[in-house]
Amino acid sequence: NGAALSYQWLFNGTNLPGAISNVLTLTLVDTNAAGPYAALVSNPYRTLSTTNATLTVVPLTASVSPASQSLFVGDTATLSAVVQKNGPFTYQWRYNGADIPDQTHSTLTLSGLTTNQSGSYSVRATNAYGVVESTNATLAVVDAAPTITSGPFNRFTWAGDSYTFNVGANGSKPLSYQWSFNGVP
């Protein structure tokens, strides 16, 4: 008892130079640091090896991929993705597997949609440690006649009060509205 302990850390079974403490701290970890770590603990009577502890290093993870959408001609589509850890990131949006020129932000906004913009969209994110590509989001752009989705609704009101009718509609843009009273515009 009372004999001093000595330590030697190993990576992939090889001594790590200068790693001779009971604590091993790794800084600025990259994918090359992934693998099994163990420590040799010694005193004048015996040397023991710990079991391996495996470090897995994930360079990038797309935690939120863009969502598929079905929209109408003239609508605006907004696609976005969230990448975890170790920025800054650079982004490149892709359409049907090809890079979209000048689309290098975490969000892609497509205004005034046309049917030829239907397809698969993804984003590739890069940092100093690697590259990750999101799953594909399908954008379906439909050219359709307008449909009424809600209202207007019957309402009772008092003479002298104000009332506002509302109607909801979907279809290819632009939509135009014409209100009528007793069948007259």
Side-chain angles (χ1 to χ4, degrees):
N1 292 1
L5 296 176
S6 62
Y7 303 90
Q8 176 60 61
W9 284 92
L10 299 101
F11 174 63
N12 279 327
T14 303
N15 289 353
L16 287 170
I20 54 172
S21 168
N22 67 326
V23 175
L24 176 64
T25 302
L26 304 172
T27 57
L28 300 173
V29 175
D30 64 16
T31 54
N32 294 325
Y37 289 83
L40 296 176
V41 182
S42 303
N43 70 12
Y45 308 107
R46 186 174 186 184
T47 299
L48 294 174
S49 177
T50 64
T51 58
N52 283 335
T54 300
L55 177 64
T56 302
V57 179
V58 179
L60 292 172
T61 301
S63 61
V64 177
S65 286
S68 294
Q69 300 178 41
S70 182
L71 299 169
F72 294 99
V73 167
D75 282 344
T76 298
T78 302
L79 302 167
S80 61
V82 177
V83 182
Q84 294 178 337
K85 273 308 212 184
N86 297 329
F89 303 106
T90 58
Y91 298 92
Q92 178 59 63
W93 281 92
R94 300 171 56 87
Y95 170 65
N96 291 335
D99 290 352
I100 305 172
D102 302 319
Q103 296 302 319
T104 57
H105 300 285
S106 62
T107 299
L108 173 66
T109 302
L110 303 168
S111 301
L113 290 173
T114 62
T115 56
N116 65 357
Q117 289 173 296
S118 293
S120 294
Y121 289 82
S122 64
V123 64
R124 181 177 292 152
T126 306
N127 72 0
Y129 305 103
V131 177
V132 66
E133 188 159 346
S134 70
T135 59
N136 285 329
T138 301
L139 177 62
V141 182
V142 179
D143 195 6
T147 58
I148 303 295
T149 58
S150 65
F153 301 105
N154 294 332
R155 168 81 194 257
F156 172 83
T157 190
W158 297 102
D161 283 352
S162 297
Y163 182 72
T164 301
F165 286 102
N166 293 298
V167 65
N170 270 331
S172 295
K173 310 304 181 276
L175 293 174
S176 61
Y177 300 85
Q178 174 62 60
W179 288 91
S180 61
F181 176 66
N182 288 332
V184 178

